[in-house]
Amino acid sequence: GAARQQGARLAGRMAGRHGEAGMASSRRALLPFAVISCSYLLFTVTDGALRMIVLLHAYSLNFSAMDVAVMFVLYELAGVFTNLLAGVAGARWGIRATLVTGLLLQLLTYGLLYGWGWQEDLAGETRLFGHTATKQQAIVYITIVQMFGGVAKDLTKLGGKTVTKLVTPDEKNTQLFKIVSLLTGWKNSLKGVGYFLGSWLIGISYGLALGAMMALVLLALPMAYFGLDPQLGVSPSPGRLRLSDVFDRSNPNLNWLSLARLFLFASRDFWFEVPLPFFLRSPPCAAIGRPCADDSDCGSGTACDAEAGACANLNPGGGCGGLGWSRTQVGALLALYIIAYGDGPAPPDAAE
């Protein structure tokens, strides 16, 4: 009986040590996940806001829908090519390097956008760094600036998508897995928050909108740099990695599926980022030409032309026939759509 009691005590001590070791291991695994998740979620807010700030500022400066579509071309293409290269870069230099680089590029993107609004633009006049510029010059400038934002998005996304695989345990019903699932689900919601914040802040001030988003990036940078091990995610044999390894040559159908998804998401982003906001923002055609004494006599999307004595379209290039919503209303609808789209119910086997 004494021997059994002694054995039970010994087994209890061993189990306690194993339990403590397991908890310590979980905490060590959770730290990089928490750091990367916080950085990625903060970045996600700024990425959503970036789209609305560029679009709504362009609308206020009388750019057409086609002009704005061109501004987003390099943003989308840069994301595609960065997505191909980011995995190889992460395996060579680690997740911290790609995450910090992405955050720095996002900071650069917002900083360069100040050149588009160096001072208050009057009567829809396009300016670059305080000097009058043509629309073509502004389109080229913003398109290049947006390219940095596209690269930043996919470099940062690499860390957010990869770290869950590094820390998720085999038993999915553990507390750690629940935390992982919860934080991952916030991503889509915060992107919607970014859409709303961008549209709301730019209604107050273009400079304020840029400054607020830069502050969020600056908040994420120290966490990413000081909170992560430089070797996190580095491949044991990085020298053997090649770009061709990204493509699955054993299953060509997978590569064709990836190409099809490229066109699918490109078409989705195009209508969502340009035609839909322009439709929501542009005024009804019946509201244009209505007699007026001041702006209060005109609806949203129009302003009183004192010389003509009639309501005029704030952005003739944007056309008419829309709903004439305010910036905040447009941002709120797009934000709600993103949240519902991203957090909608998944198929039963989606978590398998």
Side-chain angles (χ1 to χ4, degrees):
R4 278 198 207 101
Q5 290 179 359
Q6 187 67 22
R9 290 195 196 98
L10 181 59
R13 292 195 195 101
M14 294 294 292
R17 289 171 184 169
H18 284 300
E20 291 174 2
M23 291 176 62
S25 176
S26 295
R27 283 194 293 268
R28 285 194 298 270
L30 186 57
L31 177 60
F33 174 78
V35 170
I36 294 177
S37 293
C38 290
S39 301
Y40 180 43
L41 294 177
L42 287 171
F43 176 89
T44 301
V45 175
T46 68
D47 180 56
L50 176 65
R51 306 178 190 218
M52 295 306 296
I53 291 171
V54 170
L55 186 146
L56 293 175
H57 191 57
Y59 187 94
S60 68
L61 296 179
N62 296 331
F63 286 88
S64 68
M66 184 57 70
D67 295 336
V68 177
V70 172
M71 292 178 183
F72 281 94
V73 167
L74 283 186
Y75 174 88
E76 300 293 349
L77 287 178
V80 171
F81 288 104
T82 304
N83 205 11
L84 288 174
L85 298 171
V88 177
R92 283 180 178 271
W93 298 300
I95 292 177
R96 189 183 79 166
T98 56
L99 180 59
V100 170
T101 302
L103 292 171
L104 288 173
L105 284 174
Q106 187 77 337
L107 203 60
L108 174 66
T109 300
Y110 272 104
L112 291 174
L113 283 177
Y114 270 106
W116 197 22
W118 187 264
Q119 61 187 36
E120 290 298 324
D121 299 298
L122 302 176
E125 188 178 69
T126 302
R127 292 177 178 270
L128 291 176
F129 297 99
H131 303 286
T132 302
T134 65
K135 280 191 175 182
Q136 289 72 22
Q137 291 172 329
I139 290 171
V140 171
Y141 178 78
I142 297 304
T143 303
I144 294 173
V145 170
Q146 289 269 77
M147 177 188 68
F148 295 119
V151 175
K153 178 189 69 174
D154 277 273
L155 283 178
T156 309
K157 185 189 293 184
L158 172 69
K161 298 291 186 181
T162 303
V163 72
T164 55
K165 297 179 181 179
L166 298 178
V167 304
T168 302
D170 294 331
E171 294 298 328
K172 294 187 176 183
N173 59 351
T174 63
Q175 187 64 28
L176 178 59
F177 178 77
K178 293 177 182 178
I179 296 174
V180 169
S181 301
L182 179 63
L183 290 178
T184 304
W186 288 348
K187 169 181 89 276
N188 295 312
S189 298
L190 287 180
K191 186 175 181 181
V193 170
Y195 267 72
F196 177 76
L197 281 178
S199 60
W200 176 60
L201 289 172
I202 197 174
I204 301 173
S205 167
Y206 177 69
L208 173 63
L210 298 181
M213 294 304 113
M214 291 181 75
L216 292 181
V217 179
L218 287 171
L219 184 62
L221 262 172
M223 290 191 293
Y225 186 80
F226 295 107
L228 295 176
D229 184 342
Q231 297 302 311
L232 181 65
V234 175
S235 172
S237 54
R240 298 180 182 178
L241 295 172
R242 298 169 298 177
L243 180 59
S244 59
D245 295 333
V246 173
F247 302 97
D248 189 347
R249 285 168 287 187
S250 64
N251 186 4
N253 289 333
L254 184 61
N255 297 325
W256 285 112
L257 178 61
S258 299
L259 182 62
R261 282 168 58 85
L262 170 65
F263 289 97
L264 171 66
F265 288 117
S267 62
R268 180 201 66 182
D269 288 348
F270 176 77
W271 77 262
F272 187 76
E273 292 178 359
V274 182
L276 178 60
F278 264 73
F279 170 75
L280 297 173
R281 191 83 177 94
S282 62
C285 294
I288 299 174
R290 183 185 302 164
C292 64
D294 52 44
D295 289 345
S296 63
D297 296 327
C298 301
S300 180
T302 59
C304 187
D305 185 337
E307 295 182 1
C311 298
N313 194 342
L314 287 175
N315 180 6
C320 65
L323 301 181
W325 284 11
S326 67
R327 295 183 181 95
T328 305
Q329 288 173 318
V330 172
L333 178 66
L334 298 184
L336 289 174
Y337 174 85
I338 291 173
I339 294 171
Y341 172 84
D343 294 336
D349 61 343
E352 295 298 324

